[in-house]
Amino acid sequence: MTYISELTELCDRLGCRVIPDCSLSEYVTFRFGGKCKALVSVNGMESVAVLVSFLRKNEIKFGIIGRGSNVLVPDEGFDGVILLFGSGFSKIETDGTTVTCEAGALLASACVHAQHRDLTGMENLFGIPGTVGGALYMNAGAYGSEMSDIVVSAEYLDSSGKIRSIKKEDMKLGYRHSIFSENDWIILRVVIQLSEGNNSDISAAMSECMSKRSSKQPLEYPSAGSIFKRPEGSYASLLIDKCGLKGMTCGGAMVSEKHCGFVINKGYATCSDVLELCDKIKKIVKEKTGYELELEPVILK
């Protein structure tokens, strides 16, 4: 793997931290998964562009992880390089009611940033455990709000390695979908438009949102959030519950008894356990209800 030494030299020049032969289990919220050849913590848009150019030029497989809240890492790991969009790539800036976030900024941090500046519009997104870039990628949402309600534009790295801008109307934003999930464009920065609001009202709404999550979701266990997308005409959790699958297990993976839309890691689950359990759920739900469930997390391949 001669490219690892070249990659390390490049990261040194860019000021990016690199960890060769890195276990990914601590970088995903499910807390399992094998190793990657190297993990690089990026520190800016230009660094991403340079690193991606190097990886593509040398035909090195790569993937991107933010908070790792909607990702399944196979037990055998990832045979390539992971670019981590984390704390080194998480600046949040405000200009009036416009908030600009680097892709690695936590969505929760952006919500708090907005609240501290009396800006409303993000309250229902508070508590979603992901980055702003990841949230836009899948048009994340909760309690009737989605990223599509507040995003204005974004900057991204296109397939040729150029940094480009895109407006909301061109993003093809739909339920857990965007134009970014259709191709290999990489979200770098997201521009959000909010409104002036009352700080105490914003704070109260955020607190209420977290209370709902804590009372209804198994936040005490590692998971990837909702394991299935919402099928048209119903809800995955309702269908799973109706089929009597609450508490169903495969190895260390279990359908949450608190919320059937979650598959949790009881502490010793593997990726294979989760995928096997999900396959069984999908089969039973299809046989009993006719609904076809689709996995929501992305499998790192």
Side-chain angles (χ1 to χ4, degrees):
M1 290 196 304
T2 56
Y3 76 80
I4 294 297
S5 58
E6 292 180 51
L7 177 64
T8 301
E9 290 178 7
L10 177 59
C11 288
D12 286 343
R13 292 201 300 272
L14 295 172
C16 297
R17 185 170 67 103
V18 57
I19 305 175
D21 197 31
C22 180
S23 173
L24 293 173
S25 60
E26 65 179 281
Y27 294 95
V28 294
T29 57
F30 240 135
R31 294 294 180 257
F32 57 59
K35 296 180 177 182
C36 62
K37 299 302 181 186
L39 180 138
V40 178
S41 297
V42 303
N43 60 4
M45 291 172 56
E46 292 74 19
S47 293
V48 175
V50 172
L51 287 163
V52 169
S53 175
F54 169 82
L55 295 167
R56 285 175 173 165
K57 180 180 178 181
N58 290 278
E59 299 183 341
I60 299 166
K61 184 176 171 182
F62 72 94
I64 294 169
I65 286 180
R67 176 76 161 74
S69 58
N70 205 46
V71 178
L72 295 177
V73 178
D75 302 317
E76 62 271 22
F78 180 75
D79 188 26
V81 174
I82 291 295
L83 301 180
L84 178 66
F85 284 22
S87 58
F89 190 35
S90 61
K91 291 178 185 174
I92 304 173
E93 299 175 332
T94 306
D95 182 7
T97 56
T98 301
V99 180
T100 302
C101 308
E102 289 185 329
L106 291 177
L107 187 57
S109 297
C111 292
V112 171
H113 179 96
Q115 182 253 323
H116 286 168
R117 288 155 182 80
D118 302 338
L119 298 177
T120 182
M122 299 190 73
E123 293 88 332
N124 287 349
L125 303 179
F126 184 58
I128 293 178
T131 60
V132 174
L136 179 58
Y137 178 89
M138 65 175 291
N139 190 23
Y143 306 119
S145 297
E146 293 181 324
M147 284 294 292
S148 59
D149 297 326
I150 56 174
V151 67
V152 174
S153 63
E155 289 175 85
Y156 67 96
L157 193 70
D158 71 8
S159 303
S160 67
K162 292 182 180 179
I163 295 176
R164 299 187 182 277
S165 297
I166 184 171
K167 294 181 179 179
K168 169 186 173 177
E169 52 265 33
D170 298 319
M171 293 183 188
K172 298 185 181 179
L173 295 170
Y175 175 69
R176 303 301 175 262
H177 179 269
S178 73
I179 194 170
F180 305 103
S181 58
E182 294 180 359
N183 52 50
D184 59 357
W185 296 352
I186 300 169
I187 299 169
L188 300 172
R189 192 153 56 191
V190 181
V191 180
I192 292 167
Q193 183 63 56
L194 302 175
S195 304
E196 293 181 357
N198 178 274
N199 189 280
S200 60
D201 291 343
I202 296 167
S203 181
M206 289 168 64
S207 296
E208 182 183 357
C209 184
M210 277 308 300
S211 293
K212 286 181 183 177
R213 289 181 176 277
S214 298
S215 64
K216 296 180 180 180
Q217 299 178 5
L219 303 182
E220 64 272 26
Y221 290 98
S223 77
S226 297
I227 198 72
F228 295 110
K229 294 180 180 180
R230 185 179 68 233
E232 188 173 349
S234 189
Y235 293 90
S237 58
L238 178 64
L239 296 170
I240 294 168
D241 195 16
K242 280 186 174 180
C243 291
L245 303 181
K246 183 182 290 186
M248 183 181 183
T249 63
C250 278
M254 182 176 79
V255 176
S256 169
E257 295 178 316
K258 193 173 185 180
H259 190 311
C260 289
F262 284 61
V263 166
I264 61 172
N265 178 358
K266 294 194 293 179
Y268 53 94
T270 64
C271 187
S272 297
D273 289 341
V274 169
L275 292 177
E276 182 182 351
L277 180 56
C278 288
D279 284 343
K280 288 181 178 179
I281 294 168
K282 288 166 68 175
K283 182 179 180 182
I284 294 170
V285 168
K286 176 67 174 176
E287 289 174 350
K288 291 190 174 184
T289 72
Y291 280 94
E292 195 92 47
L293 294 182
E294 182 183 352
L295 205 64
E296 184 169 304
V298 175
I299 301 174
L300 197 61
K301 296 179 180 178

